[in-house]
Amino acid sequence: MQSLFDAEFFSTLAVLRRALRPAAASRPFGVRPVRSPGPGQEFYGHRPYAPGDDPRGIDWHLYGRSERMQVKTRLREEAGVLLLAIDASASMWTGPGAKFDPARRLAGALGAVALWGDHRVEAACAGRSWSGTGGGDATVGRWLEFLSSLRAGGGESLASDL
């Protein structure tokens, strides 16, 4: 793990994590708005009040102006899913400029940023898979350990992992 994910790699990740922190902290339900109504903070629109609706959702200011009961709707927010397929075929390992280690480093950075942003990461490589949901350093550590344990040069193709 030391040679693949060295101190320079971790310092770059720390910069990315600091840049991500304000956006993730401002959205408690998820980090990306979806263009459909649901629980969230960003205003989406109004709809007529229907029996059984929560009275706390009524826009009383609008009612005062129009005398129509309207319920505020908000954008649904959800965490994203990062799907990664890492090619571990022999062509990734052999020859000058082997591509497997840079692929693992890129997957490590993308996955760490996604996990710190409370997204889910799913990965497949060489017949093995990994799945984890956002969190802290422990989850990112398990993600990087998984990537470090991968070996290239097998007979499997990328299509067999998908």
Side-chain angles (χ1 to χ4, degrees):
M1 185 164 155
Q2 294 299 339
S3 61
L4 184 61
F5 302 113
D6 55 7
E8 180 184 349
F9 178 82
F10 284 111
S11 66
T12 304
L13 282 185
V15 171
L16 292 174
R17 185 178 187 181
R18 282 192 298 273
L20 177 70
R21 186 174 292 140
S26 66
R27 298 183 185 265
F29 298 109
V31 292
R32 72 181 178 148
V34 178
R35 292 286 166 205
S36 64
Q41 294 182 353
E42 190 175 336
F43 179 73
Y44 182 69
H46 288 97
R47 65 172 178 78
Y49 176 80
D53 284 341
D54 187 354
R56 293 176 291 185
I58 297 173
D59 187 343
W60 294 106
H61 296 287
L62 182 62
Y63 176 74
R65 291 189 307 269
S66 67
E67 294 188 11
R68 289 187 337 229
M69 299 266 269
Q70 297 282 316
V71 176
K72 288 183 183 179
T73 58
R74 310 210 178 270
L75 282 178
R76 181 170 51 98
E77 297 173 346
E78 62 183 33
V81 179
L82 176 65
L83 301 172
L84 295 169
I86 304 162
D87 187 2
S89 63
S91 67
M92 292 290 286
W93 189 253
T94 58
K99 301 172 274 187
F100 190 63
D101 285 345
R104 288 192 296 172
R105 287 175 60 90
L106 178 60
L110 291 172
V113 169
L115 289 168
W116 282 324
D118 290 328
H119 294 287
R120 190 171 80 231
V121 174
E122 294 182 7
C125 180
R128 296 177 55 200
S129 64
W130 189 90
S131 180
T133 303
D137 295 332
T139 307
V140 172
R142 287 191 297 276
W143 166 239
L144 296 178
E145 286 174 13
F146 168 76
L147 291 173
S148 295
S149 69
L150 297 175
R151 300 291 173 251
E156 301 92 7
S157 68
L158 182 59
S160 67
D161 291 330
L162 302 177

